[in-house]
Amino acid sequence: MMKGSVRLDKFLADAGIGTRSEVKIFINKGRVLVDGVIIKDSSFKINIDKSEVRVDNKLIEYSRFDYFMLNKPAGVVSATVDNFSETVIDLIKEGNKKDIFPVGRLDKDTEGLLLLTNDGELAHNLLSPKKHVGKVYYAKVNGVVTENEIKKFEEGLQLEEDFITLPAKLKILEPGEISCVEITIYEGKFHQVKRMFEAVGMEVIYLKRLSMGELTLDSTLALGEYRRLTEQELSEIRR
Ligand code: URA
């Protein structure tokens, strides 16, 4: 395919008009004009700099953002630049690296799902405290987690004088002196999971993020590996 060109259905899906299959239906129905002509062929090539694409006569701007899902390893910082440590951006070897950034932060010693993009609006929506996007973590905790802790997490924990956490879901996966748990939180305060366990007298010794909203870590990604989001994932997190 020539540089700067993209299939019509991909152009529309990337622009957030719908999923690839949804936009194919619009195209079939004759709702899409390219340079003033109805195009019913989804594979029609669009020149992203020159073609004028309209859906129901509305001009569609092409915005080709990058979206990467990274399985963050420990030892790497969730920042764009750092004087001492490797950053999550250093792990990305393609795309427009200049302006991608991590959507939120994981601690240096935390592993797991991190979304990287240059789409500021999407990042803002996912991080907005008002949206209460759920984040699921797997944790190993030094201490015996019981129903008592489940109840306390459910009720909310006071982490600061004027901050009580929203109800969080705690699930015991393996009980014991070292407990393996899954925890879901709906906000993202600094060191939140670690501080929640501290508040009940326990220490998190391993932490990994499994999901953020509708986006789930691809279990085939090894630590340090990444891939682009699929269209399906993208349309789910945009919702
Ligand atoms: N909570 C933490 O304590 N650390 C993280 O990295 C993420 C959530």
Side-chain angles (χ1 to χ4, degrees):
M1 202 192 294
M2 69 172 158
K3 201 164 175 286
S5 81
V6 61
R7 287 172 57 110
L8 178 57
D9 52 358
K10 179 158 170 47
F11 178 100
L12 294 173
D14 282 347
I17 303 304
T19 62
R20 195 86 160 234
S21 44
E22 283 164 354
V23 303
K24 277 184 177 153
I25 295 170
F26 300 159
I27 296 168
N28 267 325
K29 288 193 168 157
R31 290 170 59 185
V32 181
L33 293 180
V34 180
D35 297 327
V37 179
I38 293 177
I39 301 294
K40 292 193 171 180
D41 172 9
S42 294
S43 70
F44 186 86
K45 295 296 179 299
I46 299 301
N47 180 323
I48 58 174
D49 300 314
K50 295 204 183 117
S51 307
E52 188 198 83
V53 181
R54 289 177 180 268
V55 175
D56 297 337
N57 219 25
K58 183 170 170 276
L59 184 64
I60 307 301
E61 299 286 346
Y62 186 64
S63 57
R64 178 76 192 85
F65 289 120
D66 289 310
Y67 303 91
F68 298 106
M69 169 194 291
L70 169 72
N71 185 1
K72 179 194 170 298
V76 174
V77 294
S78 300
T80 48
V81 278
D82 192 273
N83 287 336
F84 306 103
S85 303
E86 192 177 20
T87 72
V88 288
I89 307 296
D90 295 329
L91 297 173
I92 307 294
K93 306 295 181 200
E94 61 188 291
N96 200 352
K97 283 189 54 160
K98 258 199 318 17
D99 44 49
I100 60 172
F101 57 87
V103 179
R105 282 164 177 266
L106 292 177
D107 296 338
K108 191 172 178 183
D109 60 355
T110 299
E111 295 178 354
L113 176 68
L114 192 63
L115 173 64
L116 296 129
T117 185
N118 44 9
D119 181 345
E121 192 181 333
L122 179 87
H124 176 80
N125 282 334
L126 286 172
L127 296 174
S128 164
K130 288 191 207 113
K131 301 264 162 95
H132 302 314
V133 172
K135 280 150 280 190
V136 182
Y137 294 84
Y138 169 85
K140 279 189 190 161
V141 179
N142 213 338
V144 184
V145 177
T146 65
E147 290 298 322
N148 199 17
E149 282 70 39
I150 294 180
K151 191 158 163 278
K152 286 183 181 163
F153 276 56
E154 176 70 46
E155 286 167 358
L157 292 161
Q158 181 137 23
L159 296 188
E160 289 159 27
E161 204 173 36
D162 55 356
F163 178 66
I164 298 174
T165 61
L166 289 173
K169 283 191 214 117
L170 187 56
K171 199 158 89 188
I172 303 169
L173 303 176
E174 280 175 49
E177 291 298 320
I178 290 183
S179 307
C180 299
V181 299
E182 203 177 88
I183 170 171
T184 309
I185 58 174
Y186 298 90
E187 55 217 329
K189 286 267 175 181
F190 188 58
H191 294 329
Q192 181 159 341
V193 173
K194 292 173 184 167
R195 288 165 66 205
M196 288 175 81
F197 279 100
E198 252 168 47
V200 294
M202 295 180 194
E203 188 196 357
V204 171
I205 52 176
Y206 173 81
L207 190 60
K208 174 176 191 160
R209 182 155 64 193
L210 304 175
S211 70
M212 181 174 189
E214 296 300 309
L215 190 64
T216 300
L217 180 64
D218 180 338
S219 60
T220 67
L221 290 176
L223 287 169
E225 285 185 348
Y226 66 89
R227 65 159 170 78
R228 287 187 186 270
L229 293 198
T230 63
E231 281 168 37
Q232 172 86 21
E233 286 167 336
L234 198 49
S235 70
E236 278 169 4
I237 57 168
R238 274 180 175 150
R239 221 174 269 153

mmCIF file of all heavy atoms in Angstrom, residues 132-154:
data_model
loop_
_atom_site.group_PDB
_atom_site.id
_atom_site.type_symbol
_atom_site.label_atom_id
_atom_site.label_comp_id
_atom_site.label_asym_id
_atom_site.label_seq_id
_atom_site.Cartn_x
_atom_site.Cartn_y
_atom_site.Cartn_z
ATOM 1 N N HIS A 132 -14.537 6.805 37.313
ATOM 2 C CA HIS A 132 -14.444 5.579 38.114
ATOM 3 C C HIS A 132 -14.124 4.340 37.293
ATOM 4 O O HIS A 132 -14.813 3.312 37.392
ATOM 5 C CB HIS A 132 -15.734 5.334 38.901
ATOM 6 C CG HIS A 132 -16.097 6.457 39.817
ATOM 7 N ND1 HIS A 132 -15.184 7.055 40.651
ATOM 8 C CD2 HIS A 132 -17.262 7.113 40.012
ATOM 9 C CE1 HIS A 132 -15.781 8.013 41.330
ATOM 10 N NE2 HIS A 132 -17.033 8.088 40.948
ATOM 11 N N VAL A 133 -13.124 4.448 36.444
ATOM 12 C CA VAL A 133 -12.707 3.295 35.648
ATOM 13 C C VAL A 133 -12.078 2.257 36.590
ATOM 14 O O VAL A 133 -11.182 2.583 37.369
ATOM 15 C CB VAL A 133 -11.687 3.737 34.563
ATOM 16 C CG1 VAL A 133 -11.083 2.529 33.856
ATOM 17 C CG2 VAL A 133 -12.366 4.664 33.554
ATOM 18 N N GLY A 134 -12.571 1.028 36.524
ATOM 19 C CA GLY A 134 -12.089 -0.025 37.422
ATOM 20 C C GLY A 134 -10.723 -0.555 36.991
ATOM 21 O O GLY A 134 -10.484 -0.760 35.807
ATOM 22 N N LYS A 135 -9.835 -0.744 37.964
ATOM 23 C CA LYS A 135 -8.531 -1.328 37.668
ATOM 24 C C LYS A 135 -8.351 -2.566 38.530
ATOM 25 O O LYS A 135 -8.570 -2.505 39.742
ATOM 26 C CB LYS A 135 -7.411 -0.321 37.954
ATOM 27 C CG LYS A 135 -7.245 0.681 36.819
ATOM 28 C CD LYS A 135 -6.747 2.006 37.281
ATOM 29 C CE LYS A 135 -7.891 2.793 37.859
ATOM 30 N NZ LYS A 135 -7.594 4.188 38.148
ATOM 31 N N VAL A 136 -8.002 -3.667 37.895
ATOM 32 C CA VAL A 136 -7.863 -4.933 38.619
ATOM 33 C C VAL A 136 -6.380 -5.275 38.757
ATOM 34 O O VAL A 136 -5.633 -5.210 37.772
ATOM 35 C CB VAL A 136 -8.602 -6.083 37.880
ATOM 36 C CG1 VAL A 136 -8.495 -7.380 38.676
ATOM 37 C CG2 VAL A 136 -10.060 -5.717 37.650
ATOM 38 N N TYR A 137 -5.987 -5.610 39.970
ATOM 39 C CA TYR A 137 -4.602 -5.983 40.254
ATOM 40 C C TYR A 137 -4.543 -7.362 40.882
ATOM 41 O O TYR A 137 -5.434 -7.746 41.655
ATOM 42 C CB TYR A 137 -3.971 -5.005 41.257
ATOM 43 C CG TYR A 137 -3.801 -3.604 40.733
ATOM 44 C CD1 TYR A 137 -4.850 -2.688 40.786
ATOM 45 C CD2 TYR A 137 -2.595 -3.186 40.184
ATOM 46 C CE1 TYR A 137 -4.699 -1.399 40.306
ATOM 47 C CE2 TYR A 137 -2.433 -1.895 39.707
ATOM 48 C CZ TYR A 137 -3.488 -1.011 39.768
ATOM 49 O OH TYR A 137 -3.328 0.258 39.283
ATOM 50 N N TYR A 138 -3.467 -8.053 40.569
ATOM 51 C CA TYR A 138 -3.134 -9.279 41.277
ATOM 52 C C TYR A 138 -2.052 -8.884 42.281
ATOM 53 O O TYR A 138 -1.091 -8.197 41.916
ATOM 54 C CB TYR A 138 -2.587 -10.317 40.290
ATOM 55 C CG TYR A 138 -1.973 -11.525 40.952
ATOM 56 C CD1 TYR A 138 -2.763 -12.597 41.338
ATOM 57 C CD2 TYR A 138 -0.604 -11.577 41.195
ATOM 58 C CE1 TYR A 138 -2.199 -13.696 41.962
ATOM 59 C CE2 TYR A 138 -0.033 -12.676 41.814
ATOM 60 C CZ TYR A 138 -0.844 -13.724 42.200
ATOM 61 O OH TYR A 138 -0.288 -14.812 42.830
ATOM 62 N N ALA A 139 -2.211 -9.300 43.527
ATOM 63 C CA ALA A 139 -1.215 -8.916 44.536
ATOM 64 C C ALA A 139 -0.854 -10.093 45.429
ATOM 65 O O ALA A 139 -1.691 -10.961 45.707
ATOM 66 C CB ALA A 139 -1.759 -7.771 45.397
ATOM 67 N N LYS A 140 0.407 -10.107 45.863
ATOM 68 C CA LYS A 140 0.824 -11.011 46.932
ATOM 69 C C LYS A 140 1.077 -10.140 48.139
ATOM 70 O O LYS A 140 1.778 -9.120 48.048
ATOM 71 C CB LYS A 140 2.112 -11.737 46.563
ATOM 72 C CG LYS A 140 1.873 -12.919 45.672
ATOM 73 C CD LYS A 140 3.141 -13.725 45.524
ATOM 74 C CE LYS A 140 2.931 -14.747 44.427
ATOM 75 N NZ LYS A 140 4.189 -15.251 43.910
ATOM 76 N N VAL A 141 0.497 -10.564 49.240
ATOM 77 C CA VAL A 141 0.479 -9.715 50.416
ATOM 78 C C VAL A 141 1.057 -10.482 51.607
ATOM 79 O O VAL A 141 0.737 -11.656 51.797
ATOM 80 C CB VAL A 141 -0.989 -9.313 50.729
ATOM 81 C CG1 VAL A 141 -1.070 -8.459 51.955
ATOM 82 C CG2 VAL A 141 -1.607 -8.601 49.547
ATOM 83 N N ASN A 142 1.896 -9.792 52.341
ATOM 84 C CA ASN A 142 2.477 -10.393 53.532
ATOM 85 C C ASN A 142 1.461 -10.321 54.671
ATOM 86 O O ASN A 142 1.327 -9.278 55.309
ATOM 87 C CB ASN A 142 3.743 -9.601 53.888
ATOM 88 C CG ASN A 142 4.784 -10.491 54.505
ATOM 89 O OD1 ASN A 142 4.438 -11.557 55.033
ATOM 90 N ND2 ASN A 142 6.031 -10.067 54.457
ATOM 91 N N GLY A 143 0.733 -11.385 54.890
ATOM 92 C CA GLY A 143 -0.302 -11.378 55.923
ATOM 93 C C GLY A 143 -1.461 -12.256 55.504
ATOM 94 O O GLY A 143 -1.600 -12.588 54.325
ATOM 95 N N VAL A 144 -2.275 -12.632 56.498
ATOM 96 C CA VAL A 144 -3.421 -13.501 56.217
ATOM 97 C C VAL A 144 -4.636 -12.629 55.905
ATOM 98 O O VAL A 144 -5.194 -11.979 56.791
ATOM 99 C CB VAL A 144 -3.716 -14.424 57.429
ATOM 100 C CG1 VAL A 144 -4.851 -15.391 57.104
ATOM 101 C CG2 VAL A 144 -2.465 -15.182 57.848
ATOM 102 N N VAL A 145 -5.017 -12.622 54.663
ATOM 103 C CA VAL A 145 -6.194 -11.835 54.263
ATOM 104 C C VAL A 145 -7.441 -12.672 54.540
ATOM 105 O O VAL A 145 -7.503 -13.842 54.161
ATOM 106 C CB VAL A 145 -6.115 -11.449 52.766
ATOM 107 C CG1 VAL A 145 -7.369 -10.696 52.336
ATOM 108 C CG2 VAL A 145 -4.870 -10.604 52.490
ATOM 109 N N THR A 146 -8.402 -12.059 55.199
ATOM 110 C CA THR A 146 -9.629 -12.783 55.575
ATOM 111 C C THR A 146 -10.865 -11.974 55.161
ATOM 112 O O THR A 146 -10.738 -10.878 54.614
ATOM 113 C CB THR A 146 -9.704 -12.971 57.105
ATOM 114 O OG1 THR A 146 -9.819 -11.661 57.690
ATOM 115 C CG2 THR A 146 -8.479 -13.676 57.673
ATOM 116 N N GLU A 147 -12.013 -12.528 55.514
ATOM 117 C CA GLU A 147 -13.289 -11.834 55.267
ATOM 118 C C GLU A 147 -13.292 -10.434 55.891
ATOM 119 O O GLU A 147 -13.949 -9.518 55.395
ATOM 120 C CB GLU A 147 -14.457 -12.644 55.869
ATOM 121 C CG GLU A 147 -14.765 -13.935 55.144
ATOM 122 C CD GLU A 147 -15.205 -13.713 53.703
ATOM 123 O OE1 GLU A 147 -15.940 -12.732 53.453
ATOM 124 O OE2 GLU A 147 -14.782 -14.496 52.836
ATOM 125 N N ASN A 148 -12.559 -10.330 56.978
ATOM 126 C CA ASN A 148 -12.463 -9.059 57.685
ATOM 127 C C ASN A 148 -11.903 -7.953 56.772
ATOM 128 O O ASN A 148 -12.442 -6.845 56.698
ATOM 129 C CB ASN A 148 -11.533 -9.281 58.889
ATOM 130 C CG ASN A 148 -11.712 -8.224 59.932
ATOM 131 O OD1 ASN A 148 -12.718 -7.516 59.926
ATOM 132 N ND2 ASN A 148 -10.723 -8.106 60.816
ATOM 133 N N GLU A 149 -10.831 -8.293 56.048
ATOM 134 C CA GLU A 149 -10.229 -7.322 55.131
ATOM 135 C C GLU A 149 -11.174 -7.049 53.949
ATOM 136 O O GLU A 149 -11.309 -5.908 53.511
ATOM 137 C CB GLU A 149 -8.868 -7.799 54.605
ATOM 138 C CG GLU A 149 -7.722 -7.626 55.589
ATOM 139 C CD GLU A 149 -7.801 -8.556 56.775
ATOM 140 O OE1 GLU A 149 -8.197 -9.736 56.570
ATOM 141 O OE2 GLU A 149 -7.487 -8.130 57.900
ATOM 142 N N ILE A 150 -11.809 -8.132 53.473
ATOM 143 C CA ILE A 150 -12.747 -7.947 52.352
ATOM 144 C C ILE A 150 -13.785 -6.901 52.734
ATOM 145 O O ILE A 150 -14.092 -5.990 51.965
ATOM 146 C CB ILE A 150 -13.436 -9.301 51.984
ATOM 147 C CG1 ILE A 150 -12.383 -10.263 51.427
ATOM 148 C CG2 ILE A 150 -14.574 -9.085 50.994
ATOM 149 C CD1 ILE A 150 -12.896 -11.623 51.012
ATOM 150 N N LYS A 151 -14.273 -7.018 53.977
ATOM 151 C CA LYS A 151 -15.296 -6.094 54.458
ATOM 152 C C LYS A 151 -14.746 -4.664 54.556
ATOM 153 O O LYS A 151 -15.385 -3.707 54.127
ATOM 154 C CB LYS A 151 -15.784 -6.590 55.824
ATOM 155 C CG LYS A 151 -17.000 -5.903 56.341
ATOM 156 C CD LYS A 151 -17.729 -6.754 57.375
ATOM 157 C CE LYS A 151 -18.678 -5.875 58.171
ATOM 158 N NZ LYS A 151 -17.991 -5.139 59.257
ATOM 159 N N LYS A 152 -13.525 -4.558 55.091
ATOM 160 C CA LYS A 152 -12.933 -3.219 55.243
ATOM 161 C C LYS A 152 -12.701 -2.547 53.880
ATOM 162 O O LYS A 152 -12.910 -1.357 53.722
ATOM 163 C CB LYS A 152 -11.602 -3.306 55.989
ATOM 164 C CG LYS A 152 -11.752 -3.557 57.470
ATOM 165 C CD LYS A 152 -10.395 -3.554 58.136
ATOM 166 C CE LYS A 152 -10.523 -3.824 59.634
ATOM 167 N NZ LYS A 152 -9.231 -4.222 60.206
ATOM 168 N N PHE A 153 -12.245 -3.338 52.922
ATOM 169 C CA PHE A 153 -12.005 -2.776 51.584
ATOM 170 C C PHE A 153 -13.329 -2.356 50.950
ATOM 171 O O PHE A 153 -13.406 -1.360 50.243
ATOM 172 C CB PHE A 153 -11.286 -3.806 50.689
ATOM 173 C CG PHE A 153 -9.791 -3.816 50.886
ATOM 174 C CD1 PHE A 153 -9.229 -4.014 52.138
ATOM 175 C CD2 PHE A 153 -8.936 -3.632 49.811
ATOM 176 C CE1 PHE A 153 -7.847 -4.029 52.326
ATOM 177 C CE2 PHE A 153 -7.552 -3.643 49.974
ATOM 178 C CZ PHE A 153 -7.009 -3.844 51.238
ATOM 179 N N GLU A 154 -14.340 -3.147 51.232
ATOM 180 C CA GLU A 154 -15.683 -2.882 50.702
ATOM 181 C C GLU A 154 -16.255 -1.576 51.292
ATOM 182 O O GLU A 154 -16.932 -0.811 50.618
ATOM 183 C CB GLU A 154 -16.572 -4.085 51.067
ATOM 184 C CG GLU A 154 -18.029 -3.984 50.706
ATOM 185 C CD GLU A 154 -18.276 -4.061 49.217
ATOM 186 O OE1 GLU A 154 -17.684 -4.954 48.588
ATOM 187 O OE2 GLU A 154 -19.033 -3.211 48.717
#
